[in-house]
Amino acid sequence: MARDPELLAAVARAGEMVVRSLRSGGKLVLFGNGGSAADAQHIACELVGRYMIEREALPAIALTTNTSCLTAIGNDYSFDEVFARQVRALVRPGDVAVGISTSGRSRNVILGMRAARELGAGTIGLTGAGGGELCSVSDVCIRVPSKLTPRIQEAHIAIGHIISEIVEVELFGGEAGGVP
């Protein structure tokens, strides 16, 4: 990954997009399935809690944590709608939606990203080498150069940490790689 200039540029653009949104009062909304749901929760927590430095809490939410919403929407509409319906309720122009799918083909993630775009939110896709349809609905598509799900998921957490560090450095004057 460190030798992939396209991936590094995409991570930098994603970090800048998140910083711009948070600076202007926006929030980060993240979602994915299975391991990607866990990654969404982990990344949201780095911003709400802290990553490396003591600072104020930042608005970030993983749409994978409300089991009542997930099961009701899945039952009443369809599993394809579990993220799009929540996005329509919670996302506003200027927010950023992060859709995570190792294949780039998860239908509910793609529909959630489409809904975010329709609402005027920025969109960041985290995916694997192929990118799938997720890239076509993402303003910034970060493609991990692997087709192996475990390696892609490991990289997604590293990317989430890099973006969290960019946020802390830019918004709070933290130092890259550690505490001030």
Side-chain angles (χ1 to χ4, degrees):
M1 283 182 13
R3 292 186 294 262
D4 185 333
E6 187 176 318
L7 182 138
L8 295 175
V11 172
R13 285 193 314 276
E16 292 166 7
M17 181 186 291
V18 172
V19 166
R20 261 192 323 274
S21 175
L22 294 172
R23 246 190 205 131
S24 66
K27 68 183 161 298
L28 192 63
V29 176
L30 305 99
F31 46 92
N33 298 298
S36 297
D39 291 346
Q41 292 170 218
H42 181 143
I43 296 165
C45 183
E46 299 293 16
L47 296 175
V48 173
R50 69 163 178 254
Y51 177 62
M52 296 286 287
I53 64 171
E54 286 299 324
R55 54 157 173 83
E56 67 184 64
L58 295 169
I61 185 169
L63 300 184
T64 54
T65 60
N66 186 333
T67 55
S68 294
C69 267
L70 293 174
T71 57
I73 295 167
N75 183 64
D76 295 347
Y77 298 93
S78 80
F79 189 66
D80 286 349
E81 290 293 319
V82 295
F83 301 131
R85 184 93 176 158
Q86 291 182 81
V87 163
R88 287 186 198 100
L90 299 170
V91 170
R92 300 294 173 257
D95 290 344
V96 173
V98 179
I100 308 172
S101 169
T102 58
S103 68
R105 296 188 308 265
S106 298
R107 189 82 184 132
N108 59 358
V109 173
I110 291 164
L111 293 176
M113 295 289 274
R114 282 186 184 161
R117 274 190 151 177
E118 290 167 8
L119 293 165
T123 54
I124 298 169
L126 293 177
T127 188
E133 189 180 344
L134 181 58
C135 283
S136 69
V137 295
S138 300
D139 298 319
V140 177
C141 185
I142 303 173
R143 290 176 219 186
V144 173
S146 179
K147 293 182 181 179
L148 300 173
T149 297
R151 300 300 81 83
I152 297 166
Q153 289 173 329
E154 292 160 357
H156 284 172
I157 284 300
I159 290 163
H161 283 170
I162 292 166
I163 291 170
S164 296
E165 189 159 344
I166 290 169
V167 166
E168 287 189 344
V169 167
E170 292 297 317
L171 295 182
F172 301 98
E175 287 185 19
V179 294

